[in-house]
């Protein structure tokens, strides 16, 4: 069971954003994607989620070809995503934003809702319990009545992750979810993602925070100039001289730290 991109290439005018890139998001594992600015991370993410169409190559989920499946229908196939810049109406509250995630799988008809039938009440109660649980997990319970527009960007990102989890995805793809979070919040996020993976969800995370990625991921894909530099276990990636130059500013065999070029 996996979400897979194989040999994907895509150009924007004269720019080769991706050239023959592959990645596999396996059920129950956390796959990281790192690389310098402009290396193609977001483009790969967009190809997996249907927001960009590869010029060549294949994207599939659990063996089903996704090339003709638009972004909004990929949610129905169990693929949820977050955005680098979260997309919320700033007037909705934290509670409402997370509750939205439950709606697609539990929507009641208009008439049933208007009549407030017992099963509608039971469903509302389940959604309420689910929202409360997610807000607790992400340390957002005290902000449940706060409007999104009043939150820090870091917390808006957490709300977005909580909303995506509310959709009960089989694959969860996160675009820089830790940007703007404090250390404690990053740990909390990492714990939640690990827990999710332990429940069988496949997680892909694009993230600039190298330490977080090393700590969290089972495998890490390193992109450079739209090509795969490396796709391996964290220990191997952390020891790779090219990666160390990019992220740590020094090579494995150098004692002295030197500035990255
Ligand atoms: N819609 C687009 N139109 C034109 N060029 C694009 C478009 N999207 C991406 N590119 C180019 O493709 C290359 C890869 O961009 P991409 O955003 O995927 O990189 P990235 O690794 O996510 O960068 P960052 O870390 O800054 O978000 C860059 O040269 C970028 O300018």
């Amino acid at each position: 069971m996996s979400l897979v991109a194989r040999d994907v290439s895509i150009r924007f005018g004269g720019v080769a954003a991706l050239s023959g890139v592959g990645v596999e998001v396996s059920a129950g594992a956390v796959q990281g994607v790192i690389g310098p600015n402009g290396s193609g991370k977001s483009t790969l993410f967009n190809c997996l989620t249907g927001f960009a169409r590869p010029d060549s190559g294949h994207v599939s989920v659990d063996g089903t070809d996704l090339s003709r499946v638009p972004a909004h229908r990929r949610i129905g196939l169990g693929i949820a995503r977050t955005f680098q810049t979260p997309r919320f109406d700033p007037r909705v509250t934290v509670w409402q934003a997370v509750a939205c995630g439950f709606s697609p799988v539990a929507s009641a008809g208009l008439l049933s809702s208007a009549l407030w039938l017992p099963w509608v009440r039971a469903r509302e109660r389940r959604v309420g319990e689910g929202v409360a649980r997610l807000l607790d997990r992400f340390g957002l319970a005290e902000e449940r009545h706060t409007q999104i527009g009043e939150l820090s960007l870091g917390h808006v990102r957490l709300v977005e992750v909580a909303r995506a989890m509310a959709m009960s995805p089989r694959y969860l793809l996160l675009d820089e979810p830790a940007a703007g979070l404090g250390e404690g919040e990053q740990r909390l996020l990492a714990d939640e993602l690990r827990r999710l993976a332990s429940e069988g969800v496949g997680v892909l995370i694009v993230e600039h925070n190298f330490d977080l990625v090393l700590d969290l991921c089972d495998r890490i894909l390193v992109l450079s100039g739209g090509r795969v530099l490396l796709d391996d276990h964290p220990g191997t990636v952390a020891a790779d001289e090219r990666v160390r130059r990019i992220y740590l500013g020094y090579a494995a065999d150098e004692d002295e730290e030197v500035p990255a070029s």
Side-chain angles (χ1 to χ4, degrees):
M1 302 286 271
S2 53
L3 172 64
V4 183
R6 268 198 220 300
D7 206 16
V8 164
S9 298
I10 178 168
R11 298 185 73 88
F12 296 107
V15 178
L18 293 174
S19 305
V21 170
V23 70
E24 179 159 359
V25 188
S26 303
V30 184
Q31 169 76 49
V33 180
I34 62 172
N37 290 335
S39 57
K41 303 181 297 295
S42 294
T43 305
L44 176 62
F45 193 97
N46 287 338
C47 288
L48 289 166
T49 52
F51 284 74
R53 180 172 288 193
D55 298 329
S56 61
H58 297 281
V59 177
S60 64
V61 66
D62 303 336
T64 302
D65 179 30
L66 291 176
S67 51
R68 293 190 180 280
V69 180
H72 66 276
R73 285 198 35 230
R74 295 190 192 194
I75 295 167
L77 294 172
I79 303 167
R81 69 164 292 171
T82 64
F83 292 87
Q84 215 172 83
T85 307
R87 300 176 177 188
F88 282 117
D89 180 336
R91 294 164 301 180
V92 303
T93 65
V94 167
W95 182 280
Q96 289 166 333
V98 176
C100 272
F102 287 97
S103 307
V105 284
S107 63
L110 196 60
L111 185 61
S112 310
S113 297
L115 294 174
W116 197 234
L117 296 176
W119 72 268
V120 176
R121 290 201 295 275
R123 187 213 64 164
E124 291 293 314
R125 199 172 50 246
R126 275 200 307 278
V127 168
E129 287 164 2
V131 174
R133 198 167 46 243
L134 282 167
L135 294 186
D136 264 348
R137 282 181 178 162
F138 283 102
L140 293 166
E142 282 183 14
E143 291 177 299
R144 61 189 176 280
H145 299 310
T146 306
Q147 291 185 318
I148 293 292
E150 303 297 314
L151 288 182
S152 68
L153 185 55
H155 280 200
V156 178
R157 289 206 167 95
L158 287 183
V159 171
E160 207 193 16
V161 176
R163 179 180 63 173
M165 283 190 183
M167 296 176 190
S168 300
R170 289 185 299 127
Y171 299 97
L172 177 61
L173 286 71
L174 306 147
D175 200 353
E176 293 189 29
L181 296 183
E183 265 184 41
E185 291 164 337
Q186 286 181 18
R187 266 197 304 278
L188 202 133
L189 175 67
D191 287 347
E192 280 308 307
L193 296 179
R194 257 187 233 107
R195 190 186 56 75
L196 206 62
S198 74
E199 291 170 0
V201 175
V203 178
L204 178 134
I205 178 169
V206 170
E207 183 52 59
H208 279 289
N209 185 327
F210 191 49
D211 291 335
L212 177 70
V213 171
L214 284 183
D215 179 46
L216 173 65
C217 297
D218 297 297
R219 285 188 76 87
I220 302 170
L221 171 75
V222 188
L223 291 177
S224 175
R227 294 178 185 277
V228 175
L229 193 67
L230 199 63
D231 183 5
D232 218 315
H233 300 289
T236 311
V237 171
D240 188 272
E241 194 169 315
R242 297 161 301 175
V243 175
R244 292 170 70 88
R245 280 192 186 282
I246 293 169
Y247 283 93
L248 305 177
Y250 59 93
D253 55 357
E254 287 173 356
D255 293 325
E256 296 285 318
E257 202 167 299
V258 294
S261 56

